[in-house]
Amino acid sequence: DYWGTTRGFVWRFAMELYNHLLLIHKIFGYGPETFGILTTQYNGNTMVEMYTKFGVYYDNAHNAFLQYLVTIGAAGLLAYVLFTGSVICQLVKKGNRNPAVMACAFGISCYLAQSVVNIELPAATPVFWTLMAVGLAAVRSENREKTEKSRHN
């Protein structure tokens, strides 16, 4: 519970919280940005104890994937993982000769890696989504150029 600035605690607590949700909420979540509300509804005493002991009140899971699991449910988390995974696969597969596209793929991968120990960062999240858009646009542009060259030949 106490390792990683008590991230172990909040991760365990998030999983307990998820396990106590109704089936509909397990599938579709409780709603975006509701983690703090759920922690006090589920077991507010634990949050008060943590605040008293460590001066920390958890209004997020400090793990984007756990945060999404609780707030947007298994369906939302699965959609997010599949979407970001497919973007990375397309960038690596179709843009492997273009360093800019690969830079986008690595940037996206790094952002997702830090998501394991943090939530979305307001300053970096727009860059994350922009990297996906720029990378996909570059791949699409390359594919269009290849198609046009093959038509002319």
Side-chain angles (χ1 to χ4, degrees), residues 34-114:
T34 56
F35 189 85
I37 295 167
L38 287 170
T39 58
T40 55
Q41 285 180 352
Y42 170 63
N43 190 347
N45 293 336
T46 303
M47 286 296 122
V48 171
E49 289 173 25
M50 288 301 289
Y51 186 79
T52 304
K53 202 173 201 177
F54 300 106
V56 176
Y57 174 76
Y58 288 106
D59 60 351
N60 63 68
H62 288 281
N63 178 319
F65 301 103
L66 279 176
Q67 180 89 5
Y68 294 150
L69 182 65
V70 173
T71 59
I72 61 175
L77 175 60
L78 181 63
Y80 178 75
V81 169
L82 290 175
F83 175 73
T84 55
S86 70
V87 168
I88 292 169
C89 288
Q90 284 186 30
L91 297 182
V92 170
K93 181 180 174 185
K94 296 180 180 177
N96 62 357
R97 292 193 179 104
N98 185 335
V101 171
M102 291 307 292
C104 290
F106 282 113
I108 295 164
S109 299
C110 289
Y111 184 85
L112 292 173
Q114 73 81 35

Side-chain angles (χ1 to χ4, degrees), residues 109-121:
S109 299
C110 289
Y111 184 85
L112 292 173
Q114 73 81 35
S115 294
V116 173
V117 293
N118 225 332
I119 60 169
E120 288 189 341
L121 305 169

Side-chain angles (χ1 to χ4, degrees), residues 15-37:
M15 289 307 301
E16 286 178 16
L17 181 61
Y18 180 77
N19 288 333
H20 283 88
L21 292 175
L22 298 173
L23 179 60
I24 189 86
H25 293 298
K26 285 182 181 180
I27 296 170
F28 298 109
Y30 199 78
E33 299 302 321
T34 56
F35 189 85
I37 295 167

